[in-house]
Each structure stands twice: as structure tokens, then as C-alpha cells.
């Protein structure tokens, strides 16, 4: 079979591998849609906790092709969204219920082979049946992350929320905050192309982050926003967020920030403004809810995809993303499946 393997930092190529065989409690899945995420780019850049070589790809939805002898509840042909994060269940963090902080972290596409291949074997317990377009199903993992981050905040309907970043994560936050939670949302984005996409989903308030942005934001919300969400991973955006955060406001730092960068913020301002500052890493029990929201169409996934590519094009796309090119959301799709579906 074909697979895309990151051999070591900076080296990625299309390889031929033997078809994997599902172990006792595993299923073999044909990935139909698999999203590229910042984590995949970090693995290529060498900033990563697993060991090389690795087949990345952790945001995916596919069709079961074979099941191991002990698998009872799933059958070949079933469409499944895969929860890539495998939690041990017995470490002290797992036993506290903080399973996102599991001390024996394993993840499909990070510490074991992922979805950028013709087939991948995963534990059956990680599969959730998905009745819908696999391009939507591939957003279950990032949406679960977004739901967990938002669960950590106190949010009431009509809350004034500002989101920095109109990439796919920012646009998932936008949809959950405006459609599900009834918030009044403003999106701030520096790339005019991303801004156009954001306006399609949410025409009311999407602000271009240019030299006029601070003035525009002050006019929109003179006292500052009750909630600021950073979905950029950019320190300058976080600084701007705090400059528009209302007294008593909450800040969600959702981006993956460069490990060696620091944010300077006055502790006196945190004290005086009664701010709540929240971090967020992966998710706990939000995956099933994410699957349900994407199945029902309450949250749109496929609409966020900018490029649909095949496996042979993936090494080039990963290199371009690692070089800093902004390509929007890229999904590797199984073209045979989508051709059949269109007929
Ligand atoms: Zn991801
Ligand atoms: Zn654990």
C-alpha cells in the first residue's frame, strides 16, 4: 500500500508498505478523508514527542475493511470517525478524570501509524460510527478540542466573544459560539482570503487585522470583550487580545505557541481586571458530541476545506506548510470513494 512517512525531521516521502493486519481488538480502516493539522507540520519540523519514522494523520474518517477476531460491535463497511487519542485509564491523571493529561499518552498518527496511508489499523475502542460525509467526520477531533476549550469557560447566551484567527480552528470556535451557545461573535483575521471564508459562515462581524483593527474593535465593543479566544498561536495576537479584554473577562489561549517564546503581561493587570486565563489541551469526553454535531450538520466541517489532495501530493504540501505558506485547511481524500459517490 501507499503511505506518507516522515522519516526524520525535514524528511517526508511517499513509501510502499505491507498492508497492516488488524490485531485481536483492532480494525483496519481505509481513510476516506484525513485533515492535515499543525501537529503534522510540527512533526516534520522536528518539534515532537514521539519517535521517527512515523506515518502522520490523526484527524480522519474512513470505512472499516476488516476487524480483528475479538471485535464485536463494528463490521466491515461501517463508516467511522477515529478518536486518535488513546488514554491508558490507569495513571493518576486518568483516574482523576483528567484523561487529556494521561501520563502514558499514545496517539494514532503521532506515536503510532496514522491515516496518511491507504489503510491503517486502530484499536476498535477508538472508532465512533459516523453517518454522514467523511469530509465532515474528519473534523470530529479538532471539534472535540474546541468543545473542551469552550467547556472550560463560563459562557452565557449573548456574551460578547472575540476570536483571533480565521483558520479552521477559529471557524469551529466561531460556529460553536454563535450557533450553539448564542454568543455575539467578532472574528479578527489578518489574511483577507481567510476573512472572505469567515464572512460566508458568519457575515455579521469579521474584522481584518490591519492598522485600523484596534479602532474598529473599540467601536464595536467599547468596554472590551467578555471572552477573548486566541486560535492563532501568535504572541502578537495574544497581546492584542488582552488589550481588548473587558474587566472580569476570560481569555482562552487555544493556539499552539512556539515553545521558546514568552508573553509579557502585567500581573497587576490580571489582578486589577479580575481576568481568568485558561489553557486547553486536546479533550476529555467531547468526541461523541463532536461526532453528533457534525452528523446533524449543526457544525459544518467540509465547508472549511480549502484543498483536497491525494497521498502523492502530501509530501509537497507538508513541506510548503512547514516553510510557513498559508494554505488553509487541507484534506487528503480517497478520490475513488468520492467519484463513486458523485455518480
Ligand atoms: Zn490535530
Ligand atoms: Zn493515563
Amino acid at each position: 500500500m501507499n503511505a506518507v512517512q516522515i522519516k526524520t525531521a525535514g524528511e517526508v516521502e511517499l513509501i510502499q508498505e505491507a498492508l497492516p493486519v488488524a490485531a485481536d481488538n483492532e480494525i483496519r480502516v481505509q481513510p476516506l478523508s484525513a485533515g492535515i493539522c499543525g501537529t503534522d507540520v510540527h512533526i516534520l519540523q522536528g518539534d515532537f514527542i514521539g519517535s521517527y519514522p512515523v506515518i502522520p494523520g490523526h484527524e480522519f474518517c474512513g470505512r472499516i475493511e476488516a476487524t480483528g477476531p475479538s471485535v464485536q460491535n463494528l463490521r466491515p463497511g461501517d463508516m467511522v470517525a477515529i478518536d486518535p487519542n488513546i488514554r491508558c485509564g490507569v495513571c493518576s491523571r486518568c483516574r482523576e478524570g483528567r484523561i487529556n493529561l494521561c501520563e502514558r499518552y499514545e496517539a494514532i498518527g503521532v506515536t503510532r501509524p496514522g491515516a496518511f496511508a491507504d489503510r491503517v489499523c486502530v484499536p476498535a475502542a477508538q472508532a465512533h460510527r459516523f453517518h454522514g460525509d467523511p469530509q465532515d467526520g474528519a473534523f470530529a477531533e479538532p471539534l472535540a478540542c474546541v468543545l473542551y476549550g469552550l467547556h472550560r469557560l463560563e459562557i452565557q447566551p449573548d456574551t460578547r466573544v472575540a476570536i483571533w484567527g480565521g483558520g479552521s480552528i477559529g471557524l469551529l470556535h466561531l460556529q460553536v459560539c454563535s450557533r450553539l451557545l448564542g454568543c455575539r461573535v467578532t472574528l479578527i483575521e489578518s489574511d483577507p482570503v481567510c476573512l472572505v471564508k469567515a464572512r460566508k459562515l458568519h457575515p455579521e462581524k469579521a474584522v481584518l487585522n490591519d492598522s485600523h483593527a484596534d479602532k474598529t474593535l473599540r467601536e464595536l465593543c467599547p468596554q472590551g470583550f467578555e471572552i477573548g479566544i486566541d486560535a492563532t498561536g501568535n504572541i502578537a495576537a495574544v497581546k492584542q487580545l488582552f488589550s481588548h479584554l473587558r474587566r472580569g473577562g476570560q481569555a482562552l489561549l487555544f493556539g499552539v505557541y512556539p515553545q521558546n517564546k514568552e508573553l509579557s503581561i502585567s500581573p497587576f493587570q490580571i489582578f486589577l481586571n479580575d481576568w481568568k486565563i485558561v489553557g486547553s489541551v486536546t479533550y476529555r469526553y467531547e468526541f461523541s458530541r463532536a461526532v453528533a454535531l457534525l452528523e446533524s450538520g449543526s457544525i459544518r466541517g467540509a465547508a472549511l476545506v480549502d484543498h483536497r489532495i491525494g497521498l502523492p501530493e502530501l509530501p509537497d504540501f507538508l513541506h510548503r506548510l512547514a516553510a510557513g505558506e498559508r494554505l488553509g485547511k487541507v484534506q487528503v481524500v480517497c478520490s475513488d470513494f468520492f467519484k463513486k459517490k458523485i455518480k
Side-chain angles (χ1 to χ4, degrees):
M1 67 165 190
N2 287 314
V4 166
Q5 188 185 62
I6 299 180
K7 293 194 168 304
T8 185
E11 271 183 52
V12 54
E13 63 181 39
L14 189 70
I15 59 162
Q16 293 293 311
E17 279 237 314
L19 205 60
V21 177
D24 201 34
N25 279 311
E26 288 187 343
I27 54 175
R28 185 165 71 208
V29 177
Q30 176 186 23
L32 299 175
S33 293
I36 301 183
C37 155
T39 303
D40 304 315
V41 179
H42 283 295
I43 296 174
L44 180 59
Q45 290 168 327
D47 187 9
F48 146 69
I49 56 166
S51 61
Y52 297 100
V54 63
I55 297 171
H58 60 273
E59 302 179 358
F60 67 109
C61 187
R63 198 164 40 188
I64 298 178
E65 189 189 51
T67 58
S70 297
V71 176
Q72 301 280 331
N73 58 330
L74 296 165
R75 295 212 182 95
D78 287 350
M79 182 89 80
V80 282
I82 304 300
D83 177 350
N85 289 299
I86 303 170
R87 283 73 183 258
C88 78
V90 294
C91 73
S92 51
R93 293 293 93 75
C94 279
R95 288 192 163 170
E96 289 165 6
R98 300 169 198 266
I99 63 169
N100 57 323
L101 306 180
C102 174
E103 289 161 0
R104 291 184 207 129
Y105 171 80
E106 267 218 69
I108 297 159
V110 182
T111 64
R112 49 179 285 163
F116 294 145
D118 289 335
R119 302 291 186 274
V120 56
C121 287
V122 303
Q126 302 303 119
H128 294 239
R129 265 204 202 80
F130 187 80
H131 304 280
D133 182 338
Q135 294 176 95
D136 289 316
F139 279 88
E141 193 269 350
L143 179 57
C145 293
V146 165
L147 293 174
Y148 172 67
L150 292 171
H151 279 171
R152 310 200 75 201
L153 304 173
E154 291 162 45
I155 307 184
Q156 304 293 328
D158 223 35
T159 298
R160 300 294 304 255
V161 177
I163 299 168
W164 271 261
S168 58
I169 291 290
L171 295 180
L172 289 173
H173 276 289
L174 181 153
Q175 292 185 71
V176 176
C177 288
S178 62
R179 292 183 184 181
L180 303 185
L181 302 173
C183 299
R184 285 190 281 163
V185 183
T186 300
L187 186 103
I188 301 107
E189 166 58 49
S190 55
D191 179 350
V193 179
C194 282
L195 200 70
V196 171
K197 201 164 73 170
R199 285 193 173 130
K200 277 190 196 148
L201 278 168
H202 177 74
E204 304 93 84
K205 291 195 192 78
V207 174
L208 183 64
N209 206 352
D210 60 8
S211 56
H212 308 287
D214 286 312
K215 188 167 165 275
T216 310
L217 292 174
R218 287 214 200 289
E219 282 165 7
L220 275 173
C221 201
Q223 293 190 11
F225 294 90
E226 294 163 86
I227 291 178
I229 298 171
D230 175 57
T232 66
N234 181 306
I235 303 290
V238 180
K239 280 191 181 156
Q240 194 181 24
L241 182 159
F242 281 108
S243 74
H244 290 283
L245 194 62
R246 179 179 296 197
R247 293 193 71 196
Q250 304 169 74
L252 175 61
L253 271 54
F254 196 88
V256 180
Y257 304 92
Q259 286 188 33
N260 54 354
K261 289 268 166 66
E262 294 194 352
L263 170 71
S264 83
I265 179 167
S266 146
F268 178 77
Q269 290 297 322
I270 299 172
F271 149 75
L272 185 72
N273 289 311
D274 204 13
W275 280 336
K276 180 170 167 181
I277 302 172
V278 175
S280 174
V281 65
T282 73
Y283 46 88
R284 293 181 185 169
Y285 303 101
E286 288 76 10
F287 201 92
S288 308
R289 177 63 57 197
V291 165
L293 291 168
L294 291 160
E295 269 182 351
S296 69
S298 298
I299 299 295
R300 295 170 65 193
L304 309 182
V305 178
D306 299 284
H307 298 277
R308 292 172 179 83
I309 63 171
L311 277 178
E313 296 158 89
L314 179 58
D316 178 51
F317 268 74
L318 284 171
H319 276 304
R320 287 165 65 189
L321 288 163
E325 203 175 324
R326 282 199 72 166
L327 293 166
K329 189 67 182 178
V330 185
Q331 267 190 2
V332 177
V333 297
C334 169
S335 54
D336 286 353
F337 172 81
F338 287 101
K339 267 183 219 143
K340 273 183 216 143
K341 219 181 122 191
I342 292 161
K343 268 181 208 164

